[in-house]
Amino acid sequence: MALALRCLRPLPSLLHRSSLAVARGLPQAPRGCPAPLLEGCSQCVQHMLLSRQLATKKAKGKGQSQAKVNINAALVEDIINLEETSEDMQAVIEALKEDFSRNLNVRTSPGALDHITVMTKDGKFPLNQLGQISQKSPQLMIVNMTNFPESTAAAAKAIRESGMNLNPEVDGTVIRVPVPKVTREHRESLAKLAKQSTNKSKEALRKVRSKSIAQVKKFKNKVSEDTIWLLEKQIQQMADEAAVEMDKLLAAKTKELLG
């Protein structure tokens, strides 16, 4: 009796909802549950509600290519943190937005050079931590490497290989960076870079999805197949929605770059 009461104590509102669900024909608590007469413990309630949701989704999905899943994160928090998965996916999207804003502009500005990564003998550093970046004229940027003269060559190499169509010229500890003319070829080059950045972001998104699904599969012997199926579908749906948002960002940026 004490064990049954402990199982029933969590999630009182959830138990109320599950009572209604059982009245509508949901499966009874699994055999062996210490509190079968009152819909079982919270784990059993979770199983029944997810089973009900699965049945609803499958019914709605008949004759449709896609059936939307919207699992209550609180029901599955012991298996996976869906909110954390969503945040990780959103972080990938935000990183893509920042990359578009900082590095992919028709007219190159000094700020575009700030976070170019320079490989030195002491490790990797952003260019703006090694040199002073300024714009001498609309057609020329200057990187003064006086504070770290030994990294001048490495900085010039990083600028050249940044993918921004820049050809730096080294003069002692000063790096001159001519600003490319805004030609059709330059615009198309930037659009290709935007596509490449988006593909890299989608790869990062797939890693988040795979990591989350792997976490769910760790519980395949502890929860029902229906629960695993629903969670995998939810995670895939989240990834698909994030990918669609990335495609929209790419379309908007491409339009901006090509004019």
Side-chain angles (χ1 to χ4, degrees):
M1 177 63 72
L3 178 58
L5 290 175
R6 281 200 301 272
C7 289
L8 288 169
R9 192 173 295 121
L11 307 174
S13 62
L14 193 58
L15 286 171
H16 174 69
R17 290 170 57 195
S18 68
S19 299
L20 297 177
V22 171
R24 293 170 184 167
L26 211 64
Q28 295 296 315
R31 185 173 299 174
C33 174
L37 296 179
L38 294 174
E39 294 88 43
C41 61
S42 59
Q43 183 176 355
C44 301
V45 172
Q46 176 196 80
H47 170 76
M48 288 187 289
L49 289 179
L50 287 172
S51 297
R52 179 76 178 184
Q53 187 174 28
L54 175 64
T56 301
K57 298 304 175 186
K58 284 186 174 179
K60 289 183 178 179
K62 289 181 179 180
Q64 299 179 13
S65 59
Q66 292 290 334
K68 295 274 286 184
V69 176
N70 187 20
I71 297 174
N72 185 338
L75 293 177
V76 295
E77 60 185 2
D78 292 338
I79 302 174
I80 187 172
N81 189 331
L82 287 176
E83 291 182 357
E84 184 177 304
T85 298
S86 177
E87 290 171 359
D88 290 344
M89 290 183 178
Q90 189 60 39
V92 176
I93 294 173
E94 293 302 319
L96 180 62
K97 288 181 181 178
E98 185 176 357
D99 182 44
F100 281 178
S101 175
R102 178 187 297 160
N103 299 324
L104 295 175
N105 295 293
V106 173
R107 295 190 180 278
T108 306
S109 64
L113 304 183
D114 284 350
H115 299 280
I116 289 178
T117 301
V118 181
M119 176 66 76
T120 74
K121 62 180 182 180
D122 296 317
K124 297 179 179 179
F125 297 92
L127 181 59
N128 63 352
Q129 290 186 13
L130 300 175
Q132 296 177 334
I133 306 171
S134 60
Q135 187 146 8
K136 187 173 182 179
S137 72
Q139 291 78 36
L140 181 65
M141 290 183 291
I142 298 293
V143 183
N144 190 328
M145 298 292 296
T146 302
N147 293 332
F148 296 92
E150 69 280 4
S151 299
T152 302
K157 182 175 184 290
I159 294 170
R160 187 175 297 108
E161 296 177 353
S162 66
M164 298 170 63
N165 194 31
L166 301 174
N167 293 299
E169 302 167 357
V170 177
D171 182 9
T173 58
V174 173
I175 304 175
R176 302 179 187 278
V177 186
V179 177
K181 293 181 179 179
V182 183
T183 62
R184 186 66 185 176
E185 290 75 14
H186 179 53
R187 289 177 180 272
E188 291 175 352
S189 176
L190 291 174
K192 288 180 181 179
L193 289 175
K195 177 66 174 177
Q196 292 172 9
S197 294
T198 303
N199 288 339
K200 288 180 181 179
S201 294
K202 286 185 177 180
E203 180 61 31
L205 179 66
R206 285 191 286 270
K207 289 180 180 179
V208 174
R209 179 202 61 191
S210 297
K211 179 182 176 181
S212 298
I213 289 178
Q215 171 64 23
V216 169
K217 286 184 176 179
K218 290 179 182 179
F219 289 80
K220 65 181 180 180
N221 295 325
K222 299 179 182 179
V223 298
S224 70
E225 291 182 4
D226 288 350
T227 299
I228 297 296
W229 183 87
L230 268 176
L231 285 169
E232 289 182 354
K233 188 172 181 63
Q234 174 81 72
I235 293 166
Q236 182 62 54
Q237 179 178 292
M238 293 162 64
D240 290 343
E241 290 171 353
V244 168
E245 187 171 349
M246 289 181 182
D247 287 337
K248 290 180 180 178
L249 290 172
L250 175 61
K253 192 64 181 181
T254 300
K255 182 178 180 180
E256 172 195 326
L257 293 172
L258 296 180

